Amino acid sequence: MFEEVKKFLVQSNQINPDLVMPETAITDLGISSLDLFKMVLDFEEKFNISISDRELSNIHVVDDLVKLAEK
Amino acid sequence: MLEQVAYRIGRGIARIILRTHNIHAEKLPEINGNFIVIANHSNLYDPAVLMTACKKTAYFVVGEDLYRKRNIRFIERLYRPIFICQGGDNSLAAMREIYSRINNGENIMMFPEGHYSYNTRTEELSPSTAGFIKMLGCTLVTYRIEGGYYNYPYWASTFRNGPMNGSVSGVYSSEQLSLMSDDELNELIRNDLYTDADVYQEQTGYLYPGIRLAEGLENVLSICPVCGNYNSIYAHGDIIECRTCGRSTRYTSKGILARNTDNEGFPFDRVSKWQTFIEDKIQGDLKCNSLPEIKYENVTLFRILPDHIRENICCGSLTVTAKEMHICKKHFSFDDIKTSIVLYRGSTLLFTSSDGYFGISSDRLSARLIETIIKGGGVYGKYRKDY
């Protein structure tokens, strides 16, 4: 699942794939709050999940997205 | 339906408040479709100004600290505000709620600065503001509130009785917004919301009389510009004085620092100029590694848990250095602090570190001083610039 999330992050935000590790902070990827918000909407659609407010508040590192995708 | 009735009642109360406090609010024009109103934020009357201006039911975006105030919890049930974590490291939940409400045809009112004006001027907004507003696809109303800083400055412990004026700066349809680049829209919003309370007071000559006008300034003017000592300023009544060098000055109803007859006073006639000196002094001390260790007693450290619950961790002595602060054996490196905000008359600092969402608070805390050190000493700017 990590690879899938990584591919999604790289494609949707044009990020250097080498930077994307499970422990990488989202803010360190150079993603603004707006980009992150758009990404979350796309993420919910792509992985067919619904992310709660509490889960949204807990998105800090790439691995948090992986766990959400695995739900 | 209940929300519409509650909004009308609230609006009625807001209009009474404005009438009795010499505050004027220009009404919004008729707008087809739903809209978002954004305004600069100067004091706690601002929501009443927007409610008076806006006849249609609209929902506020408010700081999540309001959720913990039991006496105004009824607002949550009646008005369904959108809570946003001030000093929290992401605002995704609030953004999604705003997006969802606009898509449901509701109207939103918000103060994108996120806090009252610190230094008389409208602060820089997040570069993401324009992109987010365009994404909403509704009409944008920009609204400027002037005179609020001097009516009730964020550091003050008392209200002043002076005029405030709210006016519509612009109304922009979603079609107009879509034709603008993000930079153009950010610039337009910046100009529409910009106000400088010092310039406004000088131009209008308005007076803001009241009692104990200077009290609270000690939390803001934390360095003496004459002797350079940290936390030596003391305010009582209308007077501010330095306990170390003995210089003093009087804060007048014009918001001016007037020289006392018995000493030379301080070299600034406005609080904002003194604040600029403090920022420069801290930058200089950080650069020269000469920032002194700063201590505060009886400081409460707390954590904000999910669902807005506050958990007090300890009360004790806080020590702040150029690189970190520690309280009750807990260390916070400034490199690890991503976002922060100063609240409650400059006596509370909320911040997010990798350990969570925390706050420190004390009546005598210069939270703005600590925040300035964090910004200058840590990597705060790296997170802040595009957030």
Side-chain angles (χ1 to χ4, degrees), chain A residues 27-28 30-34 36-38 40-41 44 51-54 56-60, chain B residues 89-93 95-97 99 126 128 131-132 135 182 306-307 338 382-383 386-387:
Chain A
T27 45
D28 286 346
I31 300 174
S32 71
S33 55
L34 179 63
L36 186 57
F37 175 64
K38 286 177 180 169
V40 164
L41 295 182
E44 285 184 315
I51 304 174
S52 70
D53 284 356
R54 186 181 282 201
L56 270 181
S57 306
N58 286 326
I59 298 175
H60 303 295
Chain B
D89 69 344
N90 85 46
S91 46
L92 289 176
M95 289 170 85
R96 187 168 67 177
E97 186 63 20
Y99 184 71
S126 161
S128 294
F132 183 60
M135 191 179 168
D182 285 5
D307 301 326
K338 296 173 184 173
K382 174 181 143 191
Y383 292 98
D386 195 30
Y387 215 75

Side-chain angles (χ1 to χ4, degrees), chain B residues 172-185:
Chain B
Y172 309 96
S173 67
S174 56
E175 291 77 21
Q176 285 174 299
L177 297 176
S178 65
L179 294 173
M180 293 182 210
S181 70
D182 285 5
D183 287 344
E184 284 170 340
L185 181 54

Side-chain angles (χ1 to χ4, degrees), chain B residues 149-160:
Chain B
Y149 178 89
Y150 279 121
N151 191 293
Y152 190 30
Y154 89 95
W155 45 262
S157 53
T158 56
F159 288 96
R160 289 97 217 271

Side-chain angles (χ1 to χ4, degrees), chain B residues 126-345:
Chain B
S126 161
S128 294
T129 307
F132 183 60
I133 286 170
K134 281 161 72 175
M135 191 179 168
L136 295 175
C138 64
T139 299
L140 166 69
V141 180
T142 51
Y143 201 89
R144 186 189 297 150
I145 302 171
E146 295 177 291
Y149 178 89
Y150 279 121
N151 191 293
Y152 190 30
Y154 89 95
W155 45 262
S157 53
T158 56
F159 288 96
R160 289 97 217 271
N161 189 20
M164 261 174 82
N165 185 50
S167 56
V168 178
S169 294
V171 180
Y172 309 96
S173 67
S174 56
E175 291 77 21
Q176 285 174 299
L177 297 176
S178 65
L179 294 173
M180 293 182 210
S181 70
D182 285 5
D183 287 344
E184 284 170 340
L185 181 54
N186 275 327
E187 183 65 21
L188 181 143
I189 293 170
R190 191 178 298 121
N191 289 336
D192 280 1
L193 265 50
Y194 187 79
T195 180
D196 183 329
D198 285 345
V199 173
Y200 182 75
Q201 195 284 324
E202 279 167 21
Q203 285 174 346
T204 59
Y206 287 149
L207 299 180
Y208 295 87
I211 56 165
R212 297 187 281 125
L213 293 176
E215 288 184 15
L217 267 175
E218 65 274 19
N219 286 351
V220 180
L221 305 179
S222 42
I223 305 176
C224 174
V226 177
C227 66
N229 270 3
Y230 281 66
N231 289 330
S232 63
I233 298 294
Y234 176 69
H236 53 96
D238 296 346
I239 305 295
I240 315 157
E241 62 179 316
C242 174
R243 282 171 166 165
T244 307
C245 67
R247 293 282 187 100
S248 65
T249 191
R250 192 166 56 85
Y251 186 93
T252 72
S253 56
K254 284 184 178 175
I256 287 174
L257 303 173
R259 188 176 287 187
N260 273 338
T261 49
D262 58 344
N263 67 56
E264 289 180 47
F266 300 103
F268 306 112
D269 62 348
R270 292 278 183 183
V271 170
S272 56
K273 292 177 186 169
W274 193 328
Q275 285 178 296
T276 304
F277 156 78
I278 289 172
E279 285 170 16
D280 292 345
K281 163 89 173 143
I282 291 171
Q283 287 296 333
D285 284 351
L286 287 169
K287 209 175 270 180
C288 302
N289 288 323
S290 57
L291 189 88
E293 195 175 82
I294 304 164
K295 285 198 170 181
Y296 298 94
E297 299 301 327
N298 298 319
V299 178
T300 302
L301 170 69
F302 55 92
R303 184 198 293 264
I304 309 294
L305 301 172
D307 301 326
H308 315 290
I309 296 164
R310 169 176 163 156
E311 177 192 59
N312 283 351
I313 297 172
C314 68
C315 180
S317 167
L318 169 76
T319 305
V320 181
T321 66
K323 293 286 177 194
E324 62 171 22
M325 58 183 173
H326 54 94
I327 176 171
C328 310
K329 295 178 185 173
K330 190 144 181 67
H331 290 251
F332 295 99
S333 165
F334 295 154
D335 285 345
D336 191 37
I337 292 180
K338 296 173 184 173
T339 58
S340 63
I341 191 166
V342 174
L343 294 175
Y344 304 124
R345 305 205 321 260

Side-chain angles (χ1 to χ4, degrees), chain B residues 358-374:
Chain B
F358 293 94
I360 47 173
S361 180
S362 165
D363 285 345
R364 298 286 303 165
L365 189 72
S366 296
R368 186 75 174 141
L369 174 80
I370 299 170
E371 192 185 45
T372 308
I373 297 170
I374 293 171

Side-chain angles (χ1 to χ4, degrees), chain A:
Chain A
M1 189 54 80
F2 168 71
E3 287 303 323
E4 237 178 295
V5 170
K6 180 177 174 177
K7 193 174 158 191
F8 172 81
L9 281 172
V10 169
Q11 282 176 351
S12 59
N13 296 287
Q14 293 164 356
I15 299 164
N16 177 356
D18 297 340
L19 293 176
V20 184
M21 307 295 282
E23 66 277 10
T24 308
I26 302 286
T27 45
D28 286 346
L29 294 172
I31 300 174
S32 71
S33 55
L34 179 63
D35 292 336
L36 186 57
F37 175 64
K38 286 177 180 169
M39 196 184 77
V40 164
L41 295 182
D42 293 344
F43 193 82
E44 285 184 315
E45 197 179 318
K46 179 174 168 57
F47 292 96
N48 196 24
I49 54 168
S50 173
I51 304 174
S52 70
D53 284 356
R54 186 181 282 201
E55 287 167 336
L56 270 181
S57 306
N58 286 326
I59 298 175
H60 303 295
V61 296
V62 173
D63 197 43
D64 296 330
L65 289 171
V66 176
K67 283 174 186 156
L68 287 171
E70 284 170 345
K71 267 203 321 184

